[in-house]
Amino acid sequence: MAMAMNVSSACFCVSGNRRSVNRVRAVASEDFAASKIKEDKVRLGGSDLEVTKAWNWCLVLGRYQLLEQLRMGWFYVGLCCEIWICFSLNHGFIQDSHLFTFANFPNFCTILIYGKMKAAKTAFDSSVDCGITFFDTAEVYGSGLLFGAINSETLLGRFIEDRKLKDPEVEVAVATKYAALPWRLGRQSVLAALKESLDRLGLSSVELYQLHWPGIWGNEGYIDGLGDAVEQGLVKAVGVSNYSESRLRSAYEKLKKRGIPLASNQVNYSLIYRAPEENGVKAACDELGVTLIAYSPIAQGVLTGKYTPENPPTGPRGQIYTPEFLTKLQPLLNRIKDVGQNYSKTPTQVVLNWLVAQENVVPIPGAKNAEQAEEFAGALGWRLTSDEIDELRSLALEVKPVIGFPVEKL
């Protein structure tokens, strides 16, 4: 089994409001879970890179969502490592205990960045302690390209450096991503961006480098750049993200000519968003030996049961996960809870285990604190039965799929 966190092996994720999230401690023995995770690794695609079956993830809200929310006054965008970026149209406030810095954008708004660094650091350390040591991030998470001011790669690099000072023998693996922006052209742009990422991370190489999304043009050059990065020893493996079946096959064949395996394709995949099964991506990954990395594996928290028809999410999520949708989702959520009780597992652990059971899938949930990191680790080291897997899928089929990331169809 494998899982990674986004920033990878423990994940940092988006929060749509100011309220604290529900914190659920994993019931299973963490020592046992850690030992099982360390024993049970998988090889990423056809590469030599071995990873835990779950990672941690650093996520920042995209610009297309951000611009929608400027009308709302206060809103929060979760950055890597529990750093929050708060956009205020009328200059808000901070608490004395928060770290902060100001960044002014003329004719736009004042951006106040503050973070609960201690919670972020403990989430990172707890992930490592639980045996989840692969962290996924990207150059655009928290970057100025998306109105950010603190880059998630920089923060992850600091966390890794601090951990290694205390535990020199610890092995932490990093995956990051190249942003295929329209003005970036050719293979050299990939190498240049990778070297900048390595500088921010404070590393000489990373385990996995991915194209974050397909470019409007220039994709062949981007794939050439990935191959160059492998040959220059800057990365151990390369992958893509949000690639359709046809783009996936094209990238696979182009790299294959150079004797380089395409290790992964990172796409939106969960129990209630199964587009990869329907559009041929999952089947192509299985056929080609490309690992499918599943982001949003708990559907932005919806599959945990934290939202109800009476308590739907706010902001952009509320437009997707409406009271009507949540009402139809209740039979599935109830069954997930019942199944979890049979194993002394939380709903989060059940839905992550369901993804791992699909084979050739590595989910990347996001932890904002130590409790969540420990909970994610509890998704590994056990397995749902075939009947339970099929039953949950059957119940999920009765729910209309949610909206995915637009570039999946490019």
Side-chain angles (χ1 to χ4, degrees), residues 45-329:
S47 72
D48 293 329
L49 179 60
E50 289 189 343
V51 303
T52 47
K53 289 187 177 178
W55 309 351
N56 199 1
W57 185 33
C58 289
L59 183 61
V60 65
L61 199 61
R63 178 182 298 196
Y64 71 97
Q65 291 173 300
L66 182 149
L67 294 178
E68 275 188 322
Q69 293 306 304
L70 286 177
R71 302 187 298 271
M72 299 179 62
W74 279 100
F75 62 99
Y76 289 74
V77 181
L79 294 186
C80 157
C81 307
E82 186 73 358
I83 293 300
W84 299 98
I85 180 168
C86 168
F87 291 76
S88 172
L89 299 180
N90 55 4
H91 298 158
F93 63 91
I94 61 169
Q95 299 178 17
D96 293 338
S97 60
H98 290 133
L99 302 176
F100 63 93
T101 184
F102 286 97
N104 294 306
F105 288 79
N107 304 317
F108 183 54
C109 62
T110 296
I111 298 179
L112 174 62
I113 300 171
Y114 65 98
K116 299 179 180 178
M117 294 294 293
K118 185 175 181 180
K121 183 62 167 56
T122 55
F124 171 85
D125 286 330
S126 291
S127 297
V128 175
D129 291 341
C130 290
I132 300 179
T133 56
F134 202 168
F135 293 80
D136 180 83
T137 185
E139 63 173 329
V140 297
Y141 296 162
S143 84
L145 296 172
L146 293 178
F147 304 124
I150 302 177
N151 188 278
S152 67
E153 292 174 325
T154 300
L155 291 169
L156 178 58
R158 291 174 185 172
F159 290 171
I160 294 172
E161 181 181 21
D162 182 65
R163 180 71 185 222
K164 282 186 173 292
L165 287 175
K166 298 175 182 177
D167 183 4
E169 300 301 317
V170 70
E171 294 183 3
V172 176
V174 174
T176 191
K177 308 182 196 73
Y178 168 86
L181 300 167
W183 55 86
R184 284 179 158 176
L185 300 173
R187 63 207 305 166
Q188 286 303 321
S189 70
V190 176
L191 291 174
L194 172 56
K195 290 174 182 177
E196 290 174 357
S197 289
L198 292 175
D199 285 342
R200 287 188 289 269
L201 287 161
L203 301 173
S204 59
S205 66
V206 291
E207 278 67 25
L208 177 65
Y209 196 50
Q210 307 153 92
L211 301 183
H212 206 154
W213 57 78
I216 299 174
W217 46 66
N219 287 287
E220 289 196 358
Y222 298 153
I223 299 299
D224 287 336
L226 290 183
D228 294 343
V230 173
E231 292 176 351
Q232 292 183 26
L234 299 175
V235 301
K236 293 181 180 178
V238 291
V240 293
S241 182
N242 297 300
Y243 265 46
S244 65
E245 179 190 358
S246 60
R247 287 188 180 278
L248 175 69
R249 291 184 181 278
S250 177
Y252 174 88
E253 291 298 333
K254 191 169 182 61
L255 287 169
K256 183 180 178 181
K257 292 177 181 178
R258 299 174 66 172
I260 298 172
L262 179 64
S264 61
N265 185 17
Q266 186 175 141
V267 296
N268 189 348
Y269 186 32
S270 72
L271 186 55
I272 58 172
Y273 186 78
R274 299 175 308 283
E277 299 176 357
E278 300 158 1
N279 59 21
V281 167
K282 176 67 165 65
C285 285
D286 293 344
E287 174 193 338
L288 301 175
V290 175
T291 298
L292 190 154
I293 301 174
Y295 68 77
S296 293
I298 55 178
Q300 297 180 301
V302 172
L303 287 173
T304 68
K306 66 183 290 186
Y307 300 117
T308 65
E310 297 75 30
N311 179 39
T314 58
R317 293 187 199 180
Q319 299 176 28
I320 300 173
Y321 305 113
T322 63
E324 294 76 16
F325 177 89
L326 292 170
T327 297
K328 295 179 180 178
L329 192 63

Side-chain angles (χ1 to χ4, degrees), residues 13-31:
C13 61
V14 174
S15 175
N17 54 45
R18 299 177 64 184
R19 295 171 298 178
S20 61
V21 298
N22 294 326
R23 297 180 179 180
V24 184
R25 284 194 176 274
V27 179
S29 165
E30 301 305 339
D31 290 339

Side-chain angles (χ1 to χ4, degrees), residues 348-367:
T348 297
Q349 293 167 336
V350 171
V351 296
L352 290 175
N353 193 274
W354 184 90
L355 275 175
V356 172
Q358 304 311 304
E359 303 298 343
N360 194 36
V361 175
V362 174
I364 50 173

